Amino acid sequence: MIILKTQAEIALMRESGRILAKARRLASEQLRPGITTGELDDIIHSALLAEGATPSFLNYQGSGPSPFPKSSCLSVNEEVVHGIPGNRKLKEGDIIGIDIGVYKDGFHTDSAWTFPIGEVSDEVKLLLRVARESLEKGIERARAGARIGDVSAAIQKHIDAYKFGIVRELVGHGIGRSLHEEPSVPNFGRAGTGPKLKEGMTFCIEPMVNLGTWKVKTKSDGWTMVSADGRPSAHFEHTVAITKSGAEILTVE
Ligand code: MG
Ligand code: MG
């Protein structure tokens, strides 16, 4: 069942999303060679608590073998999603996906962005641009009366044009009182199919785009997903609300 939110509930999610975007900005301002993913996670954790929010991902059980042990998912280079922050030091030319979930006043928001560390190769620059644009194209199609498949097809069309790999194991999702709700929002599919979008729906659109193969595997930690060929992967995600006039992005400052 798809749970529609009231204006008042969407206002709570907007505040949760603002806190999320601020925490991401504070972490991104510290990105440089030599900083560890654990240090970045500490910045995010503190930023959320300072706003009276809690990290949705900390101790999240999901499908993992054990609860997720940190407050953010930080995924470097070939890591697609669900990287566990720790001792890994960033280097010039790396990319890092910062994925944050925020719980505040009964509602979650979820958003990710992939950043370059210093100068990255031209093909990685293109990967980041196309992945970000595919999110934008998906959001453009999200409006009352459209279908989930319209969003999926717009994302897929843009990524396919550059022959990058679209991750299929993981998809976007409804969000609200639960971190993961219906509907599923795949990054591939056919226009005109899937659930119809209605005012009050809130969901995450989150293309995961690989430079090489779309195939992924899970590392021995049971959480971190990596590209099967070890090539870089980018992830961009926003939580949006369907309004009278289109889709409002909630995960912005
Ligand atoms: Mg996320
Ligand atoms: Mg998500």
Side-chain angles (χ1 to χ4, degrees), residues 99 110 171 173 180 204 206 237:
D99 192 358
D110 182 7
V171 297
H173 50 93
H180 296 105
C204 298
E206 53 175 315
E237 173 181 27

Side-chain angles (χ1 to χ4, degrees), residues 23-168:
R24 174 169 60 222
R25 175 174 55 78
L26 292 173
S28 70
E29 286 168 0
Q30 300 305 319
L31 289 174
R32 59 178 184 275
I35 195 165
T36 68
T37 53
E39 288 168 318
L40 292 167
D41 185 69
D42 288 343
I43 292 167
I44 292 162
H45 182 85
S46 301
L48 301 188
L49 267 56
E51 295 271 3
T54 51
S56 304
F57 300 163
L58 183 61
N59 296 319
Y60 182 74
Q61 184 61 58
S63 57
S66 54
F68 192 79
K70 293 288 181 176
S71 295
S72 58
C73 294
L74 302 180
S75 306
V76 181
N77 296 342
E78 77 287 355
E79 296 174 352
V80 178
V81 287
H82 303 165
I84 302 173
N87 296 327
R88 185 168 183 169
K89 272 194 169 78
L90 297 181
K91 311 185 305 292
E92 174 86 17
D94 282 349
I95 56 172
I96 181 169
I98 299 182
D99 192 358
I100 304 174
V102 172
Y103 184 70
K104 177 85 166 46
D105 295 330
F107 287 89
H108 295 272
T109 51
D110 182 7
S111 177
W113 210 260
T114 302
F115 298 90
I117 306 302
E119 194 62 27
V120 298
S121 69
D122 286 346
E123 62 177 4
V124 169
K125 263 184 213 159
L126 182 65
L127 174 73
L128 295 182
R129 177 168 72 77
V130 169
R132 193 192 67 237
E133 288 171 348
S134 73
L135 170 61
E136 292 164 359
K137 288 181 184 293
I139 293 172
E140 279 169 22
R141 294 301 173 96
R143 55 187 58 250
R147 291 185 182 271
I148 289 289
D150 299 341
V151 174
S152 304
I155 294 169
Q156 178 174 13
K157 183 178 172 207
H158 191 61
I159 299 168
D160 281 353
Y162 292 87
K163 301 204 161 38
F164 292 137
I166 302 173
V167 174
R168 285 155 195 273

Side-chain angles (χ1 to χ4, degrees), residues 1-2 147-152 168-175 180-188 193-197 201-206:
M1 190 185 71
I2 298 174
R147 291 185 182 271
I148 289 289
D150 299 341
V151 174
S152 304
R168 285 155 195 273
E169 276 82 351
L170 292 159
V171 297
H173 50 93
I175 186 167
H180 296 105
E181 297 181 352
E182 289 182 41
S184 287
V185 186
N187 298 305
F188 52 91
T193 65
K196 196 173 254 188
L197 304 187
M201 282 176 61
T202 51
F203 53 88
C204 298
I205 304 176
E206 53 175 315

